[in-house]
Amino acid sequence: MALQQGNISIHAQNIMPIIKRWLYSDKDIFIRELVSNGCDAITKQKMLTPGSEDEYKVTVTVDEKAGEIRFSDNGIGMTADEVEKYINQVAFSGAEEFLKNYEGDDKGGIIGHFGLGFYSAFMVADQVTIETLSGSEGAAAVRWVSEDGMAFTMSEGSRTTRGTDIILHISEEEKEFADEFRVRQVLNRYCGFMNTPVYLEVVKEEAPKAEAAEGEEAPSIEVKEPERINPNAALWLKAPKDCTEEEYKQFYRDVFHTYEDPLFYVHLNVDYPFNLKGILYFPKLTNDFGTREGEIKLFSGQVFVADNIKEVIPEFLMLLKGVIDCPDLPLNVSRSFLQNDGYVKKLSAYITRKVADKLTGLFNTERDKYEGYWEDIHPFVKYGCMRDNKFFDQVKDTLLYKTTGGAHVTLSEYLSKNEGKLDGKKVIYTSDPTRQSASIAQYEAEGVDVVVMDALIDLNFVSFMEYSAGVEGLSFARVDADAATFQKEVSEDEKQQHQADEKVLADLFTAATGNSDLTVQLTALKDTSMPGMLVQDEQGRRFSEMGKIYGQDFKLPERYTLVLNADNAVVKSLIQQEAGEQRDLLAAQLYDLARMSTRPLEKEEITAFLSRSNKLLEMLCK
Ligand code: ADP
Ligand code: MG
């Protein structure tokens, strides 16, 4: 057989059902597509006749009664040949062909890519009419009508001015779209920043002509002014050096409908190696981390595409608010392919790097300001560090720790300041400054700084830092993890005596408290006024806290050590005293006092504590 070559032909009959059912996941995007086509037609006209005084606009008219939506523009229009070529051939993009043939310099601003947008109209309409008049010389108006996007009629049109009307008769099943509020909502969502003025016009039912009685006013007919959908400029397209602080703030308030100001922002602006513009804002923390959702709007050439696209914006950045515009991303169609796209990965890495640059920049040049922001941004930054190695590498030296004294220090500042006061490279923290104030005071008395780690994320973050910070032997310990720092040096003899007494006390305390899991340790503490403290091994405590957070069914036994002070008068007396009620009561009381400095007592524990206190007072007065 002789060699044959040719093109596979696609028949509308085969492709229309696919477009209708699969191509677009949301039906409402037909509005976006038709408004974009109007904007494109205007952009083309502007390119052909630069400097023209025409008042360009796209108007969307909703006629609820007639069940129609009309998209009207005064752009370039189409000749009969062009309708034949661009409309009758599905997937033949006139936008792309126009750019290929156009010789001018400024090729930006055209939205269309695929030549499929127009056909999205058939997802909701049972009849689509095009009325168009091309601006080219001698062109005649054309009307094109189709009910299913497959069969059409073309005839002489009725338009008398240059431009195009696309009229959709909405089908019975999709009636919800023939509705002023629905259309406004969709327009606001997708078209709020398009580069051409877009208006919404509503056809109101004519008020019945009532016979105005003598002396009465005739009923007024309500005429609604067309309403501008995109009054705000796309600030992200402006050069960062030309944007003022107030503009950034106002834009934030407009776009996110808030009265709050953001903390600060990052303006992304690159043309090469990819085209990416956008502004990311760091919002003030409003409620607890975890329940907070950011909002990043993704645009493609000023046309809104979707919120929070995880493929393009790293997940941890989703806590921010902002806009990202990537005109080269073919987002109109499917998102699934984005996941493994190298280009998308580069974009995402770039965005992350810019955010990290902003943080390190602030840290290096405006440390005061940066410290002021820390309370609001730290959960986000920490989360980012744990999610993204590269991000962590970039910002790790700018991570701050707030001390109970209100200062903000970096890890290396902390370690060098407290060097020699603690064994090894250790960071002492509190997860609850109020509850743990007694233990904090102990450290402060030793001149050791305690940092506050009270956010939900800190539990994971301390473990993360221990193995990722790259500091040999780094460990974090909560203020009540051990009493090592407060111990006094003692002689060998004393040590032996303590060991003997320890056995006596262990028996006493396990009996008096009914807690057989309790470990009792006797040692000399520097502060003689303190009878004892309850400590809980750091790793064991973290483990059981994790279990609680992740809702494990089995309950890990909580192991505590009661550290008793051999130099304290009460403890000394307990060792000497004869067995009896008073001794048991004192031991139980001492145990409760130690417990209370780490956690609130339970209901029954409080009752027991109060009645025991009363009893002890009575004994004192005998
Ligand atoms: P795309 O916009 O991706 O090129 P569409 O299916 O949305 O594909 O539109 C196909 C073509 O039809 C456009 O490229 C354009 O040439 C033409 N067209 C559609 N709407 C209009 C309009 N309002 N004015 C002028 N031409 C239009
Ligand atoms: Mg289009």
Side-chain angles (χ1 to χ4, degrees):
M1 189 180 158
L3 175 72
Q4 281 191 24
Q5 280 181 315
N7 288 315
I8 308 288
S9 55
I10 296 171
H11 292 283
Q13 286 88 328
N14 303 334
I15 206 165
M16 275 317 288
I18 299 176
I19 292 179
K20 278 194 193 175
R21 293 204 22 216
W22 303 113
L23 190 59
Y24 298 104
S25 37
D26 300 314
K27 287 208 163 116
D28 59 9
I29 59 85
F30 78 92
I31 294 178
R32 174 189 81 185
E33 291 301 321
L34 297 177
V35 175
S36 317
N37 282 350
C39 292
D40 276 358
I42 286 168
T43 306
K44 290 173 190 170
Q45 183 60 38
K46 278 191 194 160
M47 286 157 93
L48 294 179
T49 52
S52 137
E53 305 263 291
D54 283 13
E55 197 194 307
Y56 291 113
K57 64 180 177 204
V58 175
T59 306
V60 181
T61 310
V62 180
D63 186 337
E64 289 181 10
K65 200 158 172 239
E68 276 184 8
I69 310 179
R70 173 187 297 256
F71 299 81
S72 183
D73 68 69
N74 51 355
I76 194 170
M78 284 179 277
T79 63
D81 281 353
E82 284 163 344
V83 172
E84 187 63 51
K85 192 167 171 187
Y86 301 134
I87 299 295
N88 294 344
Q89 292 186 45
V90 177
F92 184 91
S93 173
E96 251 165 47
E97 189 177 77
F98 179 86
L99 284 178
K100 246 184 249 155
N101 296 337
Y102 173 70
E103 302 279 312
D105 293 332
D106 177 22
K107 294 200 179 194
I110 296 273
I111 302 160
H113 267 309
F114 305 106
L116 287 172
F118 170 74
Y119 279 89
S120 64
F122 290 99
M123 296 193 298
V124 298
D126 55 20
Q127 186 179 66
V128 178
T129 305
I130 304 177
E131 290 278 1
T132 183
L133 174 61
S134 162
S136 58
E137 245 190 78
V142 181
R143 171 183 303 136
W144 179 96
V145 185
S146 173
E147 286 170 6
D148 56 7
M150 294 181 271
F152 65 87
T153 59
M154 259 172 89
S155 54
E156 194 180 310
S158 62
R159 244 196 108 113
T160 51
T161 53
R162 190 201 65 230
T164 304
D165 281 355
I166 313 277
I167 305 124
L168 271 55
H169 184 266
I170 305 296
S171 68
E172 202 50 48
E173 308 90 81
E174 308 297 341
K175 263 273 167 298
E176 57 160 312
F177 286 109
D179 175 80
E180 170 188 353
F181 297 101
R182 185 79 171 95
V183 173
R184 180 179 295 108
Q185 179 198 34
V186 180
L187 283 172
N188 282 333
R189 184 169 159 81
Y190 289 106
C191 309
F193 289 100
M194 284 186 177
N195 60 2
T196 301
V198 178
Y199 289 89
L200 172 64
E201 196 176 64
V202 179
V203 176
K204 282 281 158 194
E205 214 176 308
E206 260 193 44
K209 281 208 181 81
E211 300 281 314
E214 198 77 21
E216 267 180 45
E217 270 184 50
S220 61
I221 296 169
E222 195 196 346
V223 184
K224 268 200 177 173
E225 276 290 299
E227 147 191 4
R228 177 82 187 258
I229 294 297
N230 52 351
N232 298 318
L235 185 67
W236 65 86
L237 295 181
K238 240 173 130 176
K241 65 171 169 41
D242 299 331
C243 299
T244 66
E245 183 82 19
E246 187 45 41
E247 278 178 315
Y248 283 120
K249 286 184 178 166
Q250 190 57 45
F251 184 75
Y252 180 77
R253 294 192 285 255
D254 288 342
V255 174
F256 298 103
H257 310 291
T258 169
Y259 295 107
E260 288 242 355
D261 280 340
L263 293 172
F264 55 94
Y265 44 80
V266 186
H267 195 152
L268 308 162
N269 188 294
V270 267
D271 295 317
Y272 186 83
F274 34 72
N275 193 344
L276 170 71
K277 309 263 147 77
I279 306 173
L280 293 178
Y281 291 93
F282 287 70
K284 278 202 184 111
L285 205 66
T286 42
N287 45 37
D288 213 12
F289 172 73
T291 57
R292 192 171 63 132
E293 254 293 309
E295 190 183 347
I296 297 185
K297 295 172 182 288
L298 190 67
F299 290 78
S300 175
Q302 292 172 252
V303 183
F304 175 77
V305 178
D307 286 310
N308 300 351
I309 298 223
K310 295 199 176 57
E311 292 78 8
V312 180
I313 296 136
E315 190 213 341
F316 74 91
L317 292 181
M318 295 288 181
L319 293 169
L320 305 182
K321 288 187 175 178
V323 295
I324 297 272
D325 194 338
C326 320
D328 300 333
L329 267 190
L331 291 163
N332 302 31
V333 187
S334 155
R335 281 170 64 170
S336 54
F337 92 99
L338 290 172
Q339 273 154 21
N340 298 311
D341 192 68
Y343 177 82
V344 173
K345 286 211 174 96
K346 270 187 213 135
L347 268 182
S348 160
Y350 176 83
I351 295 171
T352 308
R353 187 157 55 78
K354 279 307 204 189
V355 170
D357 282 352
K358 178 74 190 185
L359 294 173
T360 48
L362 275 171
F363 174 81
N364 290 327
T365 59
E366 295 177 279
R367 170 104 182 228
D368 273 2
K369 252 192 189 169
Y370 182 75
E371 288 182 2
Y373 299 145
W374 187 249
E375 275 323 278
D376 284 295
I377 64 169
H378 79 99
F380 153 78
V381 178
K382 289 171 180 170
Y383 183 58
C385 288
M386 291 191 273
R387 298 301 300 223
D388 185 323
N389 279 333
K390 279 205 183 125
F391 181 74
F392 175 60
D393 277 344
Q394 279 183 275
V395 304
K396 68 176 169 205
D397 296 330
T398 69
L399 298 173
L400 295 179
Y401 300 83
K402 189 174 96 179
T403 70
T404 49
H408 287 88
V409 294
T410 64
L411 180 61
S412 63
E413 285 163 359
Y414 181 93
L415 293 176
S416 64
K417 178 151 183 259
N418 297 291
E419 188 155 21
K421 296 177 201 156
L422 296 163
D423 56 335
K425 296 208 183 293
K426 215 173 192 184
V427 179
I428 306 296
Y429 70 94
T430 168
S431 58
D432 187 337
T434 314
R435 182 114 274 137
Q436 296 156 4
S437 60
S439 312
I440 295 170
Q442 300 273 326
Y443 277 105
E444 283 173 347
E446 296 291 321
V448 173
D449 285 334
V450 174
V451 301
V452 182
M453 303 290 259
D454 59 354
L456 195 54
I457 196 164
D458 285 326
L459 181 61
N460 291 293
F461 184 68
V462 292
S463 304
F464 168 80
M465 284 303 283
E466 284 170 349
Y467 63 76
S468 310
V471 177
E472 183 83 38
L474 178 68
S475 69
F476 284 73
R478 205 168 86 170
V479 280
D480 55 354
D482 63 72
T485 313
F486 319 120
Q487 281 173 13
K488 240 192 319 210
E489 293 279 344
V490 289
S491 70
E492 216 25 64
D493 285 356
E494 279 173 305
K495 216 181 244 172
Q496 270 172 17
Q497 183 60 47
H498 289 167
Q499 268 165 17
D501 293 341
E502 195 173 82
K503 289 211 180 67
V504 177
L505 290 169
D507 290 343
L508 168 64
F509 274 88
T510 43
T513 62
N515 182 355
S516 53
D517 285 336
L518 188 69
T519 310
V520 175
Q521 190 196 340
L522 184 66
T523 184
L525 298 180
K526 291 176 196 164
D527 179 359
T528 53
S529 72
M530 214 181 53
M533 53 200 286
L534 196 65
V535 300
Q536 190 183 11
D537 167 65
E538 176 75 15
Q539 295 305 330
R541 197 204 75 243
R542 278 190 214 170
F543 208 67
S544 65
E545 273 176 10
M546 289 284 187
K548 268 182 228 152
I549 290 175
Y550 296 111
Q552 274 165 8
D553 305 336
F554 65 96
K555 233 186 145 216
L556 292 160
E558 306 220 352
R559 300 210 145 266
Y560 291 96
T561 302
L562 180 64
V563 179
L564 293 171
N565 186 359
D567 286 357
N568 173 265
V570 182
V571 176
K572 278 183 186 160
S573 145
L574 279 178
I575 298 168
Q576 310 296 325
Q577 260 181 52
E578 269 173 44
E581 193 192 9
Q582 180 176 317
R583 192 176 182 232
D584 288 345
L585 288 177
L586 278 174
Q589 191 76 352
L590 204 152
Y591 175 63
D592 272 356
L593 290 171
R595 274 209 294 201
M596 282 160 79
S597 67
T598 56
R599 66 162 174 88
L601 292 183
E602 310 274 342
K603 208 167 150 200
E604 315 80 68
E605 293 169 352
I606 291 184
T607 318
F609 176 79
L610 292 177
S611 70
R612 190 187 321 112
S613 302
N614 290 332
K615 233 182 204 162
L616 283 167
L617 289 176
E618 267 173 37
M619 286 179 172
L620 266 181
C621 300
K622 263 185 196 155

